[in-house]
Amino acid sequence: MKINRKILKYASISGALLTGIFGMLLYGVMNTSATSAGFLTSTTVVMVPIIQAFLERKLPSRKIIVGVGIITIGLVLMTVRDQLTFDVGAIYCLIAALLYAVHIMVSNHFVQEVDALQLGIFQLGFSALYAAIFTFMFELPRFPDSSIHWLAILGLALI
């Protein structure tokens, strides 16, 4: 496996986006329902073609425009509260969806220049590094205090 500056640069960018996605989703789920979070995160599906159309300076197809309209109506119905205010968790989830769309576009570009498997491995490594840094910046890390938590960690590690 050959490691060069290019793959490390690309992996650090992808890892930062991935860490942002995970962080925004974590805070989003803490402040909204799982149903809303799942729906809002899935809006990535329409964000990717919109971003692509914007970058290519070309209008999206009619199907995409209709899809965006339907998704927008769904977003409003699911996230706007009584006084026409947005739930803070919904905003975090939408930011995560936007970061995910950007991640998809960036990854598509990067894998045309470097090995996709290496990029994926290093991306996860950088994401873990960034998450560890943020953990020590914003939380007081501690070890689990019950056997059920240790069993869950062991199960996740093995699977």
Side-chain angles (χ1 to χ4, degrees):
M1 184 161 62
K2 294 182 181 180
I3 302 170
N4 57 39
R5 288 184 191 266
K6 188 180 220 180
I7 196 148
L8 292 176
K9 176 181 148 186
Y10 288 172
S12 68
I13 294 167
S14 294
L17 287 168
L18 200 59
T19 304
I21 294 164
F22 292 153
M24 290 295 113
L25 283 177
L26 179 68
Y27 283 108
V29 170
M30 287 172 45
N31 296 297
T32 193
S33 69
T35 305
S36 291
F39 177 76
L40 294 168
T41 305
S42 69
T43 60
T44 298
V45 173
V46 294
M47 286 185 188
V48 170
I50 290 171
I51 293 171
Q52 182 127 17
F54 178 76
L55 292 174
E56 293 175 354
R57 294 184 178 98
K58 186 175 116 181
L59 277 175
S61 70
R62 180 181 293 248
K63 291 178 189 176
I64 292 174
I65 293 171
V66 170
V68 169
I70 292 170
I71 293 287
T72 303
I73 291 168
L75 285 172
V76 169
L77 292 175
M78 288 189 74
T79 59
V80 173
R81 299 289 179 219
D82 294 332
Q83 283 90 27
L84 296 176
T85 59
F86 271 98
D87 185 2
V88 70
I91 294 169
Y92 284 132
C93 290
L94 282 174
I95 293 169
L98 178 63
L99 289 173
Y100 192 27
V102 171
H103 181 266
I104 290 169
M105 303 285 296
V106 166
S107 295
N108 182 46
H109 173 72
F110 289 167
V111 296
Q112 294 174 16
E113 296 186 28
V114 296
D115 181 59
L117 181 61
Q118 281 186 322
L119 179 66
I121 291 168
F122 286 117
Q123 165 189 266
L124 290 174
F126 274 104
S127 183
L129 175 67
Y130 298 147
I133 291 168
F134 287 133
T135 297
F136 286 103
M137 285 174 56
F138 298 113
E139 294 285 333
L140 179 63
R142 61 184 176 91
F143 286 109
D145 53 1
S146 70
S147 59
I148 192 74
H149 292 135
W150 281 109
L151 283 172
I153 291 169
L154 179 65
L156 288 171
L158 295 175
I159 294 174

